[in-house]
Amino acid sequence: MTQPLPKPITYEEFIEWYPNDGKRYELHKGIIIEMPPPTGKHENVTGFLTVQIGFQLLQMGLPYRIPKTAFVKTGDSTYSPNILLLNHENLLNEPLWNKQSTVIKPESVPLVIEVVSTNWRDDYHDKFGDYEEMGIPEYWILDYAALGGKKFIGNPKQPTIFVCELVDEEYQMTPFTGNNLIISPTLPQLNLTAQEIFDSAL
């Protein structure tokens, strides 16, 4: 639900306004957006993948962490990703991190994952473009419920995971469905199929 505000607001105004009401909000091109409440299946997928990625980080000895809540500021938008990998060693270079848990540098974000819900256009269009422009190396669009447009996930629609890898400043989208093994540049040892991730929603 869009909040009724007279004009686009700044990141600083958004942070000052942000209420402690248990809801999630993002700033989309200067407009405050209330995020739809997650379903149980959405939370199942997010939780399952967070645990799997966390295990890989420990196995690989990477200096990455997965915050419970944090913001990624991209131009005039500020997003709260479903799963965000942060390069802990680069947080010293983030001017907004200590007070506002916000990152603005692509060096701090090796991987960001959005689990698609009813506002799927945000993930496929706005966030895709903003994460790409910011220079985040890897972005997943995890469409476990096949909510996206047919031009993305086919007709008939089927659950799909897109791994978007930044190549020459543009995302190259690779779709994974069924028993396809996910290939992640950031997590090369991740031994998961798309179907295993989809099944975690049940």
Side-chain angles (χ1 to χ4, degrees):
M1 182 178 71
T2 304
Q3 302 299 300
L5 291 171
K7 61 182 178 60
I9 67 170
T10 65
Y11 163 81
E12 290 76 16
E13 290 170 326
F14 172 65
I15 292 297
E16 183 177 351
W17 166 90
Y18 204 98
N20 185 20
D21 60 4
K23 300 178 181 178
R24 289 177 59 241
Y25 300 90
E26 294 184 336
L27 190 66
H28 292 208
K29 295 179 172 44
I31 304 299
I32 295 174
I33 303 294
E34 180 183 336
M35 307 309 290
T39 64
K41 290 184 176 182
H42 186 284
E43 292 295 272
N44 285 347
V45 170
T46 303
F48 171 79
L49 196 52
T50 299
V51 169
Q52 295 293 326
I53 292 174
F55 179 74
Q56 291 302 315
L57 298 182
L58 291 173
Q59 292 287 99
M60 297 171 67
L62 294 171
Y64 299 161
R65 297 185 182 177
I66 304 174
K68 179 183 178 184
T69 54
F71 289 120
V72 177
K73 182 178 181 297
T74 67
D76 56 0
S77 295
T78 302
Y79 302 125
S80 178
N82 295 121
I83 301 176
L84 174 65
L85 258 66
L86 290 180
N87 182 349
H88 185 70
E89 294 179 347
N90 199 62
L91 294 182
L92 291 173
N93 301 317
E94 290 285 356
L96 304 174
W97 177 252
N98 283 339
K99 290 187 177 181
Q100 296 156 346
S101 64
T102 300
V103 293
I104 61 174
K105 299 178 183 294
E107 295 83 6
S108 300
V109 188
L111 171 64
V112 62
I113 298 174
E114 297 288 2
V115 180
V116 177
S117 54
T118 53
N119 56 337
W120 62 268
R121 288 176 177 83
D122 292 342
D123 301 322
Y124 280 95
H125 296 290
D126 295 346
K127 295 181 181 182
F128 179 95
D130 287 343
Y131 292 151
E132 180 182 63
E133 185 174 355
M134 182 177 172
I136 292 176
E138 186 175 348
Y139 168 42
W140 289 23
I141 303 172
L142 203 169
D143 198 346
Y144 75 93
L147 296 172
K150 295 175 183 176
K151 68 179 179 180
F152 296 108
I153 59 175
N155 185 16
K157 295 182 179 183
Q158 62 175 327
T160 306
I161 298 171
F162 289 95
V163 174
C164 309
E165 180 183 4
L166 197 66
V167 178
D168 295 331
E169 301 181 351
E170 294 184 5
Y171 278 143
Q172 304 299 316
M173 299 177 70
T174 303
F176 296 91
T177 60
N179 291 319
N180 294 150
L181 199 65
I182 303 295
I183 299 174
S184 166
T186 304
L187 302 167
Q189 298 179 26
L190 187 67
N191 188 26
L192 279 178
T193 66
Q195 194 62 48
E196 286 174 311
I197 296 174
F198 302 147
D199 288 346
S200 71
L202 304 177

